[in-house]
Amino acid sequence: MQVPSPSVREAASMYGTAVAVFLVILVAALQGSAPPESPFPYHIPLDPEGTLELSWNVSYVQETVHFQLLVRELKAGVLFGMSDRGELENADLVVLWTDGDGAHFGDAWSDQKGQIHLDAQQDYQLLRAQRTREGLSLLFKRPFGTCDPKDYLIEDGTVHLVYGILEEPFQSLEAINVSSLQTGLQRVQLLKPNISIPALPSDMRTMEIRAPDVLVPGQETTYWCYITELPDGFPRHHIVMYEPIVTEGNEALVHHMEVFQCAAEFESFPHFSGPCDSKMKPERLNYCRHVLAAWALGAKAFYYPEEAGLAFGGPGSSRFLRLEVHYHNPLMIKGRRDSSGIRLYYTATLRRFDAGIMELGLVYTPVMAIPPQETGFVLTGYCTDKCTQLALPPSGIHIFASQLHTHLTGRKVVTVLARDGREKEIVNRDNHYSPHFQEIRMLKKVVSVHPGDVLITSCTYNTGDRKLATVGGFGILEEMCVNYVHYYPLTQLELCKSAVDPGFLQKYFHLVNRFNSEEVCTCPQTSVPEQFASVPWNSFNRQVLKALYSFAPISMHCNKSSAVRFQGEWNLQPLPEIISKLEEPTRHCPASRGQSPAGPTMVSIGGGKG
Amino acid sequence: MQVPSPSVREAASMYGTAVAVFLVILVAALQGSAPPESPFPYHIPLDPEGTLELSWNVSYVQETVHFQLLVRELKAGVLFGMSDRGELENADLVVLWTDGDGAHFGDAWSDQKGQIHLDAQQDYQLLRAQRTREGLSLLFKRPFGTCDPKDYLIEDGTVHLVYGILEEPFQSLEAINVSSLQTGLQRVQLLKPNISIPALPSDMRTMEIRAPDVLVPGQETTYWCYITELPDGFPRHHIVMYEPIVTEGNEALVHHMEVFQCAAEFESFPHFSGPCDSKMKPERLNYCRHVLAAWALGAKAFYYPEEAGLAFGGPGSSRFLRLEVHYHNPLMIKGRRDSSGIRLYYTATLRRFDAGIMELGLVYTPVMAIPPQETGFVLTGYCTDKCTQLALPPSGIHIFASQLHTHLTGRKVVTVLARDGREKEIVNRDNHYSPHFQEIRMLKKVVSVHPGDVLITSCTYNTGDRKLATVGGFGILEEMCVNYVHYYPLTQLELCKSAVDPGFLQKYFHLVNRFNSEEVCTCPQTSVPEQFASVPWNSFNRQVLKALYSFAPISMHCNKSSAVRFQGEWNLQPLPEIISKLEEPTRHCPASRGQSPAGPTMVSIGGGKG
């Protein structure tokens, strides 16, 4: 990174100020609709200092997002946009920049070297540029899809927002390279579902689960663990909603928070407030893993459907709760105090249905492995018709929320519902999934699962930086593929997952052996991870492993709890056969686009070096 | 197919005539460039009766084809276009139709049910509609690529032209379904290379090889065989060009013609003139397989490069030649006489280099097989660096023409040149290859092959209609993957082909056995075709076969003639490693397209039912 010499920096700063002053706040050519009447329900700080703040709303009818970007201390410009995984290269951008004579706003893109180019087609449309007390406020909108191949397609799931600060003027857009700028990324679910708030009970009470007065460590990443407990004799209630409580000023610091219930088998848990990886943390806290509530940056309140609530309290459940707060502190700010947490809203008037959480995807076992150096390897776990037939009530269950989960190499996750061999609908999908951004998401549409349905969960992994195979397991360097679905009415089925039949995996190792002059140790005392570690990863062994996973019979976990299976034969089950796949929606790209101007919008006519 | 009742047909015919009369021959809105100054060098009849005749030229600078379509007996309209393999569904079309009040010309497409729709973007541009003595002449142009996803991309290689005759008016385009029309297809190389004609020797003489006065059989397909001979003592000459001689009136009947030289080991060959599959055909004619010249419909004269010629005559070569003419007679016309053939232009003043023909691709062996029910299975044959190192002269060879060859399931063929592990250029490619249209094609650009280069020939097959695996071999129901390249200077290397190592294929059968409860017979007395016939074609066995072919070592045929290998070890050779692939050219699609009108062009304002 180039650091300009003080004099240059100083000049640039003066210059920037001048531009900011001269940035005449005219309402720039409003070629489209007026600013939306509804305010912006969603807000997020983009940078750790909070100098860039994004607000937005979503119109599903117009398939458009309106953005309001607040730039608190405008220098010579700003860039904002989206990219596949938060990289500044190959990004879809809007740029506000000045060439000294005026400020311009344009739809642009960065190439793989980070150089910026103006889009042939201008799809971000500036609606207003306004000086406010807080800073410069830019209002612009963009359709979800633009048909411009250089543009990002705004989809459900995670969106990686990127930003950059222009410290000095540039003669042209092409003169800008993102590598020389202060840049960053922020993950967010941009397309929030448009769900009306369910009616809330009149006897609703609240409970705040927060770690009081935490001194946030001056390091980039901290997971803070805090144990609290429900009042003695607290009876059974239903949680009907919850929302984050973020200490004012720490909005850019608190990344995500979860409340877990501890295991009922232990009478009590020691109190603790400290980093989760502390050596002082009592061992027993590892038994506090049953999720009650989860929030991540950008999310708002979470509401249960009107007819269901999540039970807590009462006999048979632990009084002890664990709060986990993830502090993301890249500027290593020291001395900051925080008391963030989650506010639970609950009722004693139990709703008609208990809500439950079911685990779909892959069993945590090393037989499911990803070869090294794969950029998009897919593993798939099944919840079979046989299991749903046995375990679901005749009227089915209704999935209303979902939390996707993998470890570090996960890049995409999707769960599809199939019926009679035909894919019917997507339960949840994230094409830009990040293991660093796992939130419980309300589904746009409740998905009903009937006995005999199949749920297929596929995860895509990138092991480009690994030297050895990545096997399934609990370790952070091992992998998982899980979708925690939130549903009602509660059933006994807690876990509906699969893995390849271990006998067929041994046949695979045997054939690898045969084709590769006995390099792989298949002696019976060898463990599966060791066998995978000795596979020479040539194209043949990679492709045959893929073929094996999409062919070999599976072993099903159709379980009441993590150890208790439903009765039946669950080994050597046939892979569910899918005879028709869901089609990708085709985006209708109009041949003549008309409205969008061909060039950037002139925002200011202010004179240069005043 | 629906046949209209006589009265309807009669009315339609009257109507059609009326429309034709009223089709005011105005020069329709000439929004583009004037008609090209150059005439149309290429011509082809579209239908067997020759009522539709297409002429065209190609501008590589503008990446545009100008078409002139002559409609000899206009009824209520005509449609013309292109599709992947000559089907009328999913075709890219221009339609001239009348709704009774006027005639319209528009860029359209047919969906998979054959219904016609107007393109949102009009890329076929009408330049002139003119009544001539011969019929209605439509002049229009189209860019190679249009960026309209509904449009066909005009590429090198075979193009499947389609046509249809509108017998009656239609109220709208959408009312037309191709299934109710008289339709057909014609294959042609649309993008002829733009090669300047080499200087020809002053002592050039000609020789016509034609079967005199053949009574063309009244059946759809006839291959006619005719044996002729060079004059006694005819010395060594160089063929420098050749061209077709097609009997006037039979232009739509003569599909392709080839001249073969017979084998030198036989003193003489019996004379014969009759169908090639006749029981009367002497056995010995099967030894006349060395190609001297080949022509197919739509091709023009073939010129050798100025410094090379194809040797014929003289000692060491047979005096006997076999002419093969393919008559395509779908209307089963009887009593037609034909004397078509090929005119060879040759010189006694030998040119500097002898030209030669080399066979690239796959060895004719059953070890290379395609599973049934595959729509795009690829087999690849290699000419390795080791072979070219040994067999090519230090200055290399120059490939100037190529003839691609597969049997019935071939759909695409491509040969790529690689150097130092990197793909460098395409030798020849046909993405719409048809086994029914095999012509020798001049390359747009001569490709030089140096010692150490690798030539990779891949064929894509469609076995969607097969029940069993299709193995490699000579039979018409077996497959081949061959590129006959024409090059100079002549070398001893006649054949540079490969196949998978047979030992590794046996390992494949063994593992199929292991994974499929011993269904495959691997007893040593079983033949490879029988082994393939017993494979249960599940996804695993298909994918592992693919993986095997792209991994297992190969057996090379690096041969002087079909039986004599160059010295060296040619078994268990490593597959050439390719570290960088050629990138597909990206088509730059302008965001604003401007010029093209949004709707069809009104061609006539003539009143309806006069």
Side-chain angles (χ1 to χ4, degrees), chain A residues 265-524:
Chain A
E265 22 315 19
F266 297 97
E267 188 63 30
S268 87
F269 285 80
H271 278 257
F272 178 74
S273 185
C276 298
D277 60 355
S278 158
K279 283 172 190 157
M280 306 293 288
K281 192 188 78 166
E283 191 59 24
R284 187 168 284 187
L285 269 49
N286 295 333
Y287 292 89
C288 303
R289 292 185 170 277
H290 176 73
V291 175
L292 279 192
W295 169 90
L297 205 66
K300 299 213 307 167
F302 183 91
Y303 293 88
Y304 280 85
E306 231 165 275
E307 56 272 47
L310 186 67
F312 81 135
S317 75
S318 174
R319 290 200 303 118
F320 291 86
L321 305 178
R322 177 167 69 93
L323 171 71
E324 184 178 298
V325 182
H326 173 196
Y327 295 108
H328 181 62
N329 184 8
L331 302 177
M332 319 263 189
I333 299 164
K334 286 202 175 83
R336 188 73 65 92
R337 298 259 165 197
D338 185 73
S339 302
S340 297
I342 285 180
R343 185 178 296 120
L344 303 175
Y345 291 75
Y346 59 96
T347 172
T349 318
L350 297 183
R351 287 179 163 182
R352 184 167 167 212
F353 297 116
D354 275 334
I357 299 173
M358 190 188 300
E359 238 180 88
L360 305 175
L362 283 180
V363 180
Y364 310 135
T365 155
V367 301
M368 299 305 295
I370 307 134
Q373 305 292 321
E374 294 277 350
T375 54
F377 199 89
V378 179
L379 292 183
T380 299
Y382 300 87
C383 175
T384 58
D385 52 345
K386 187 167 165 182
C387 180
T388 59
Q389 193 74 58
L390 197 69
L392 298 191
S395 57
I397 57 167
H398 310 288
I399 303 177
F400 58 88
S402 151
Q403 186 181 20
L404 308 175
H405 178 70
T406 74
H407 288 169
L408 299 176
T409 67
R411 294 295 179 269
K412 298 180 187 196
V413 184
V414 61
T415 296
V416 180
L417 172 98
R419 186 170 295 155
D420 302 326
R422 291 165 193 281
E423 291 187 358
K424 287 292 177 191
E425 58 184 313
I426 304 283
V427 176
N428 192 9
R429 164 154 61 185
D430 194 342
N431 283 337
H432 305 275
Y433 172 85
S434 166
H436 307 296
F437 190 59
Q438 306 184 11
E439 44 177 0
I440 298 181
R441 289 183 182 148
M442 301 297 296
L443 302 187
K444 271 186 188 161
K445 183 182 159 299
V446 170
V447 175
S448 296
V449 185
H450 299 298
D453 286 354
V454 177
L455 292 161
I456 305 166
T457 301
S458 296
C459 296
T460 305
Y461 301 94
N462 182 338
T463 57
D465 61 351
R466 301 267 170 112
K467 289 272 180 295
L468 292 173
T470 299
V471 296
F474 287 94
I476 185 67
L477 293 175
E478 298 170 334
E479 266 305 341
M480 292 191 172
C481 178
V482 180
N483 185 354
Y484 298 96
V485 291
H486 296 243
Y487 73 97
Y488 69 89
L490 182 65
T491 71
Q492 286 197 296
L493 185 63
E494 278 199 11
L495 219 132
C496 192
K497 312 202 292 185
S498 73
V500 70
D501 172 76
F504 269 77
L505 183 68
Q506 289 308 320
K507 289 188 188 195
Y508 168 77
F509 288 127
H510 179 89
L511 87 86
V512 162
N513 229 1
R514 199 178 166 88
F515 274 79
N516 299 274
S517 34
E518 318 292 327
E519 293 168 49
V520 187
C521 184
T522 50
C523 14

Side-chain angles (χ1 to χ4, degrees), chain B residues 155-175:
Chain B
E155 294 174 295
D156 290 339
T158 308
V159 174
H160 289 73
L161 303 175
V162 296
Y163 64 86
I165 310 284
L166 301 185
E167 306 263 357
E168 48 186 358
F170 284 93
Q171 273 314 308
S172 72
L173 256 190
E174 272 72 16

Side-chain angles (χ1 to χ4, degrees), chain B residues 484-496:
Chain B
Y484 297 97
V485 292
H486 296 243
Y487 72 97
Y488 67 91
L490 184 65
T491 71
Q492 287 196 294
L493 184 62
E494 279 198 10
L495 219 131
C496 192

Side-chain angles (χ1 to χ4, degrees), chain A residues 15 19 97-104 169-171 606-610:
Chain A
Y15 194 100
V19 169
W97 83 101
T98 173
D99 54 13
D101 293 326
H104 308 269
F170 284 95
Q171 272 315 305
K609 293 151 195 173

Side-chain angles (χ1 to χ4, degrees), chain B residues 350-406:
Chain B
L350 296 182
R351 286 178 164 183
R352 186 169 164 209
F353 298 116
D354 276 333
I357 299 172
M358 189 187 299
E359 237 178 89
L360 306 174
L362 284 179
V363 180
Y364 310 135
T365 154
V367 301
M368 301 303 297
I370 307 134
Q373 304 292 323
E374 294 276 351
T375 54
F377 199 89
V378 179
L379 293 181
T380 299
Y382 299 88
C383 175
T384 59
D385 52 345
K386 188 166 165 185
C387 179
T388 60
Q389 194 73 59
L390 197 70
L392 299 191
S395 58
I397 57 167
H398 310 289
I399 303 177
F400 58 88
S402 151
Q403 186 181 19
L404 308 175
H405 179 69
T406 73

